[in-house]
Each structure stands twice: as C-alpha cells, then as structure tokens.
Amino acid sequence: MTIVHGVPLSPFVRKVILVLEAKGVEYTVNPVTPMNKPEGFEKISPLGKIPAIEDDMVTLADSSVICEYLDQRYPENSIYPEGLVERTQARWLEEYADTAVIGVAGPIFFERIVRTKMMGQEADEARVQKVISEELPKVYGYLNEQLGDTGFLIGDNLTTADFAVGTNLINAMYAGVDVDATRWPKLAAYKDRLFATELFRNRMAKDKAMMGA
Ligand SMILES: N[C@@H](CCC(=O)N[C@@H](CS)C(=O)NCC(=O)O)C(=O)O
C-alpha cells in the first residue's frame, strides 16, 4: 500500500492524492504537516517538505516527481497527453501552478485558514488584499489565456496541469477567493467544469469532512 506523507489540504499533497485516486491506487495518509514533522523525516523527504510517498519500490519526495513515477508505474488513465507539444505544455502548466498559482493561493490560504483555524492567530488581511489586487490578476489572467471554451487545460482529458492548477483553485476558494467570471470568464467556466468532475467533487467532499464543514 502506498503511504502518502502530508496533509491533503496542502496543494502539493492534494495533487498527488488526486493522481492516486484518478488511477485507483490504494493509499494511506500519514498526516505530516510542515509544523509537526516527525524526527528523521528528512530520510523520507530530504528537503523536509510534504508530500513524500513510500511504497514497495520507492521512497520519493516532490509532487511532480511523485506524479511522474505514479504515471509510469500505473499507466492507465495517463496524466500526460500523448503528443510531444501537448505533453510539454502540460508539464509547463504544472510548473506554472507549482510556482505562480501557489504563489497567490498559498498566502491567501495560509492567512485565512492555516493562521486563523489552525494556529489560533489573526489573519494578516492586508497581506491577503495585496496578493488579491496586485499578484492574482496576472496569474489568473495568464491561466484564462491558456483556456478554450470546452475541455480542460490541455484537451478533453484531465492532465497533470489540471491537478496542479485545480488543487490551488480549491484552496483559494476555501479561503473565500473564487474566480471572478467577469474578469476571467474562461478560467471561471473551466473551474466549474473541473470541480464538477467526480474526482474533484469526491476530493472536496473529503476535505470538507476533514475541516468539519
Ligand atoms: N516542490 C515541492 C514543494 C512542496 C512544498 O513546498 N510543500 C510545503 C507545504 S504546501 C512544505 O512542505 N513546506 C514546508 C517547508 O518548506 O519546510 C513539491 O512539489 O512537492
């Protein structure tokens, strides 16, 4: 059985869990957070970050590396498109999500959810507003430009790009920041299509149960 070290509310951990669930791979979660790393965690995750996984073949860290391993080990429902250009574009958008989309969703989620609900502190709302007004428009604008009127980020099947972008859109939404359909109509419609898939619906239901919502 695959062990996922990390909490599913972390966007990187959720990305890996979505891939496991898309492929029907059984897993258990060891709920390590950045604040409660067990001693010796660096042996599993040398950079000390979540997620990391362990199974009968590997101990691996980094969500993108883990997703690539999972896809090669469990090739059914591949998370990478077939064509070279499409595949490369999916990997690029995954990287964009893991750097830029987390760069806006991360601080918003941290301030409004982690800091208030998990650390018992006040949110730095000025920081949130600055991210929303100065940084988010560029990122959501870029995503909006990548999208068509149907399907997902690359074609009609879910790819690694959708898992990486979607997991961040989920956290922004949990923190009260939805996609403004008047400014980014394609992104808003895409988010609705993505969140309506059985995979995303089930995952968000599990998040809600965990958050006691
Ligand atoms: N590139 C890594 C990033 C993972 C990451 O930054 N995880 C955060 C939690 S969302 C973390 O563990 N932060 C703790 C730390 O940096 O010490 C991945 O894709 O897995």
Side-chain angles (χ1 to χ4, degrees):
M1 167 100 65
T2 303
I3 303 170
V4 178
H5 299 278
V7 276
L9 287 181
S10 148
F12 295 106
V13 176
R14 189 189 291 108
K15 178 178 137 193
V16 165
I17 287 178
L18 282 165
V19 172
L20 286 163
E21 290 176 346
K23 289 177 174 292
V25 178
E26 278 193 44
Y27 67 89
T28 55
V29 171
N30 174 26
V32 176
T33 73
M35 290 168 277
N36 79 346
K37 289 180 231 171
E39 230 183 275
F41 187 58
E42 276 72 16
K43 288 210 178 85
I44 296 169
S45 178
L47 295 174
K49 295 182 192 242
I50 54 169
I53 65 158
E54 285 180 277
D55 68 9
D56 58 338
M57 288 179 78
V58 294
T59 298
L60 265 189
D62 191 275
S63 64
S64 300
V65 175
I66 294 168
C67 288
E68 189 173 349
Y69 164 75
L70 291 173
D71 200 68
Q72 292 193 21
R73 181 146 188 206
Y74 307 101
E76 215 163 296
N77 295 332
S78 179
I79 61 169
Y80 303 111
E82 279 207 352
L84 173 64
V85 172
E86 291 78 6
R87 189 182 178 100
T88 308
Q89 182 66 2
R91 286 288 291 109
W92 156 245
L93 289 173
E94 177 181 21
E95 174 55 29
Y96 185 78
D98 289 354
T99 304
V101 189
I102 182 87
V104 297
I108 295 169
F109 185 79
F110 178 79
E111 290 300 334
R112 288 192 175 167
I113 305 288
V114 178
R115 203 192 275 285
T116 59
K117 297 202 162 62
M118 295 166 194
M119 296 167 73
Q121 299 173 3
E122 290 237 326
D124 181 347
E125 197 50 38
R127 181 183 183 210
V128 172
Q129 291 309 323
K130 192 167 153 59
V131 171
I132 291 174
S133 61
E134 292 177 18
E135 294 166 35
L136 182 143
K138 189 173 154 212
V139 174
Y140 280 18
Y142 178 77
L143 291 175
N144 194 65
E145 281 168 20
Q146 307 311 306
L147 285 155
D149 293 321
T150 58
F152 300 109
L153 274 162
I154 313 287
D156 288 334
N157 296 320
L158 290 175
T159 70
T160 192
D162 302 298
F163 297 123
V165 169
T167 186
N168 281 294
L169 295 181
I170 289 175
N171 274 12
M173 187 183 73
Y174 289 164
V177 177
D178 209 345
V179 180
D180 182 345
T182 60
R183 295 178 80 182
W184 305 293
K186 288 185 177 171
L187 182 60
Y190 159 78
K191 185 216 68 180
D192 289 346
R193 288 193 296 279
L194 190 63
F195 287 7
T197 60
E198 199 182 345
L199 188 67
F200 274 76
R201 265 193 291 120
N202 289 343
R203 177 83 326 252
M204 289 189 282
K206 286 182 187 142
D207 282 347
K208 281 191 186 123
M210 207 178 67
M211 291 192 291

